[in-house]
Amino acid sequence: TQLLEQSPQFLSIQEGENLTVYCNSSSVFSSLQWYRQEPGEGPVLLVTVVTGGEVKKLKRLTFQFGDARKDSSLHITAAQPGDTGLYLCAGVTGTASKLTFGTGTRLQVTL
Amino acid sequence: DTAVSQTPKYLVTQMGNDKSIKCEQNLGHDTMYWYKQDSKKFLKIMFSYNNKELIINETVPNRFSPKSPDKAHLNLHINSLELGDSAVYFCASSQEGKLSGNTIYFGEGSWLTVV
């Protein structure tokens, strides 16, 4: 069974701080996705990284796929209260039908 | 218009009852899913259908039976509900055929509480 461990599990920071969320696995994935889930809603896709070593930026969010395609990180610069939510990484094996979600990181950003 | 809609959003029912959750997607996708999210927020796939055919059936009790009348609908029927079935159930859809990087669109979830 493929397992994606995220760390930290919980993170509470103040507005303006930087943070990094890690997603690690012993399995190789063809690509890796990051989702954000807000309370009462379903997860929403933020980004997909495909190539080992790939870095993608989405405004203040920077996503990196590990060289060996087993791990990924999400870095948020100058966090804002609107960044609050559950962040989930998901490893893709082949097609989206083979999506394995990580254990999740709950982020709270306070004023 | 909601891309993936599921009903009901909230469901409180007694142990032993049978209940159904309905899901519809208007994105024209050919693949639909049911995911279960537990109290620790761990999201795990239960079933996946492609063009009305079952393609993924994870280790889920036989009490759970998905039904896909057409590729825009995937309903989940649960028999003899147990306390441990309490969770949030998410319906989702995607378009297959890409090597990787498919976008899965999730519904808003159905909160099931078994008492």
Side-chain angles (χ1 to χ4, degrees), chain A residues 30-31 33 35 37 40-43 45 48 86 94-97 99 101-102 106, chain B residues 9 35 37 41-43 55-56 90 96 99-104 106-108 111:
Chain A
S30 56
S31 64
Q33 300 182 330
Y35 291 79
Q37 183 180 9
E41 298 182 10
L45 180 68
T48 301
L86 177 70
T95 67
S97 296
L99 200 63
F101 278 89
R106 210 176 302 191
Chain B
K9 178 145 186 168
Y35 279 85
Q37 189 169 46
K41 302 298 182 184
F42 185 59
L43 198 59
I55 55 173
I56 289 181
F90 285 98
E96 287 299 292
L99 194 59
S100 65
N102 286 5
T103 298
I104 290 187
F106 285 86
E108 292 188 336
W111 268 252

Side-chain angles (χ1 to χ4, degrees), chain A residues 3-6 23 88-91 100-104, chain B residues 41-43:
Chain A
L3 191 63
L4 279 163
E5 294 276 357
Q6 288 184 234
C23 172
L88 296 162
C89 64
T100 302
F101 278 89
T103 49
Chain B
K41 302 298 182 184
F42 185 59
L43 198 59

Side-chain angles (χ1 to χ4, degrees), chain B residues 1-108:
Chain B
D1 276 350
T2 304
V4 181
S5 58
Q6 49 185 114
T7 56
K9 178 145 186 168
Y10 301 101
L11 183 57
V12 180
T13 188
Q14 289 188 325
M15 280 174 56
N17 284 350
D18 303 339
K19 290 293 177 186
S20 292
I21 307 172
K22 295 186 176 181
C23 179
E24 176 182 6
Q25 55 96 3
N26 62 7
L27 298 166
H29 288 163
D30 58 8
T31 303
M32 295 185 71
Y33 313 81
W34 276 108
Y35 279 85
K36 179 180 179 180
Q37 189 169 46
D38 61 24
S39 57
K40 295 184 179 178
K41 302 298 182 184
F42 185 59
L43 198 59
K44 190 173 180 186
I45 191 166
M46 299 173 68
F47 302 102
S48 171
Y49 270 73
N50 179 270
N51 282 317
K52 301 195 302 175
E53 284 191 29
L54 181 66
I55 55 173
I56 289 181
N57 183 355
E58 292 297 296
T59 309
V60 177
N62 290 338
R63 299 180 294 102
F64 290 79
S65 53
K67 281 190 173 53
S68 183
D70 55 63
K71 72 176 192 177
H73 295 83
L74 180 62
N75 304 323
L76 182 65
H77 188 75
I78 316 171
N79 288 330
S80 304
L81 279 155
E82 300 177 358
L83 293 176
D85 297 332
S86 295
V88 185
Y89 292 85
F90 285 98
C91 177
S93 74
S94 71
Q95 185 61 36
E96 287 299 292
K98 296 181 182 178
L99 194 59
S100 65
N102 286 5
T103 298
I104 290 187
Y105 293 85
F106 285 86
E108 292 188 336

Side-chain angles (χ1 to χ4, degrees), chain A residues 69-110:
Chain A
R69 289 186 286 124
K70 292 182 180 181
D71 55 85
S72 181
S73 64
L74 156 61
H75 182 79
I76 301 179
T77 304
Q80 298 177 0
D83 296 328
T84 294
L86 177 70
Y87 287 82
L88 296 162
C89 64
V92 181
T93 308
T95 67
S97 296
K98 302 288 186 184
L99 200 63
T100 302
F101 278 89
T103 49
T105 295
R106 210 176 302 191
L107 171 66
Q108 182 169 21
V109 182
T110 55

Side-chain angles (χ1 to χ4, degrees), chain A residues 39-60:
Chain A
E41 298 182 10
V44 175
L45 180 68
L46 295 174
V47 78
T48 301
V49 283
V50 180
T51 310
E54 181 178 2
V55 176
K56 275 192 176 177
K57 290 193 174 183
L58 189 67
K59 295 183 181 178
R60 294 175 294 100

